[in-house]
Amino acid sequence: MNPLLSIWSRPTETLRYMLEKKSIGYGFLIFLLGAISTGVMATATAGWFNGLPLFLIVFLSIATTYGGSLIGWVIVSALYTWIGKWLGGTGRYSDMIHVTPASTIPMIWLAPMNFLILAIYGSRLFEVPTGNLGITNLPLGVYFLMNFISLGVSIYGTVISCKGIGLVHNFSAWRGLGVVAILMGIGIVLAIVFSLIIGMILFSLFSTFG
């Protein structure tokens, strides 16, 4: 079985195969392929590497995305394990870390689209947007089409995550969705709290020196 292909037609069997047959090293490979596929778009319009040679921008984009993915792999796998146990699951972290990368596999198949866009628009992708509502330097039609396709693939990746969580914890994919929803809720709450703290600090500074 080749998980890169079978994830589309036999997701549950693919997850079980990755859990039972594949080593941790396979996860490193999946995240590397995912970073190569999506790293360019992940850092586009942020302006982080504006002004650098295009080949260096591409390399740094892939490298930073890969590094972030590996860190996220460790953290998310732990959270899926802990939250799943709160919901009655029986899974282990050592198993969860095998199946978590599976949700990235669909993103690998975005590579043809992403590299076509890179070939057409080049370094413009990485410049701070000055037009089109300040969100992109691409034509809006291209931008929204890319995001629509990426959104669809991301949703399928979430379905894979739910199935994987359910497989490891010996409960349904719907309860796996609950794990994902709880994690997203925690993330939203933390983001709001962090934003409020930063806002209060900035308000205090401006009040002091205003």
Side-chain angles (χ1 to χ4, degrees), residues 1-21:
M1 176 179 288
N2 184 348
L4 298 180
L5 299 174
S6 61
I7 196 70
W8 297 100
S9 58
R10 294 180 291 167
T12 302
E13 293 178 34
T14 302
L15 287 163
R16 185 171 288 108
Y17 175 77
M18 290 180 62
L19 177 60
E20 297 175 354
K21 304 295 184 181

Side-chain angles (χ1 to χ4, degrees), residues 142-176:
V142 174
Y143 176 78
F144 286 121
L145 177 60
M146 287 177 54
N147 279 273
F148 179 77
I149 294 173
S150 298
L151 176 62
V153 173
S154 296
I155 291 173
Y156 185 65
T158 301
V159 172
I160 299 301
S161 292
C162 296
K163 287 180 176 291
I165 294 168
L167 176 64
V168 171
H169 279 299
N170 294 306
F171 53 45
S172 69
W174 285 108
R175 193 174 295 187

Side-chain angles (χ1 to χ4, degrees), residues 34-52:
I36 292 171
S37 172
T38 64
V40 170
M41 295 304 156
T43 57
T45 74
W48 294 349
F49 309 124
N50 189 23
L52 296 177

Side-chain angles (χ1 to χ4, degrees), residues 95-198:
D95 291 332
M96 189 67 72
I97 206 164
H98 278 82
V99 301
T100 301
S103 62
T104 299
I105 295 177
M107 306 300 292
I108 295 172
W109 290 94
L110 293 175
M113 177 184 73
N114 290 338
F115 278 94
L116 176 62
I117 296 298
L118 177 63
I120 294 173
Y121 295 100
S123 59
R124 285 178 57 193
L125 287 172
F126 305 95
E127 298 173 358
V128 177
T130 56
N132 290 336
L133 308 179
I135 58 176
T136 180
N137 290 316
L138 298 175
L140 284 180
V142 174
Y143 176 78
F144 286 121
L145 177 60
M146 287 177 54
N147 279 273
F148 179 77
I149 294 173
S150 298
L151 176 62
V153 173
S154 296
I155 291 173
Y156 185 65
T158 301
V159 172
I160 299 301
S161 292
C162 296
K163 287 180 176 291
I165 294 168
L167 176 64
V168 171
H169 279 299
N170 294 306
F171 53 45
S172 69
W174 285 108
R175 193 174 295 187
L177 177 59
V179 173
V180 173
I182 290 172
L183 180 56
M184 291 178 62
I186 293 172
I188 291 171
V189 170
L190 290 177
I192 293 173
V193 171
F194 181 76
S195 298
L196 289 174
I197 292 173
I198 295 298

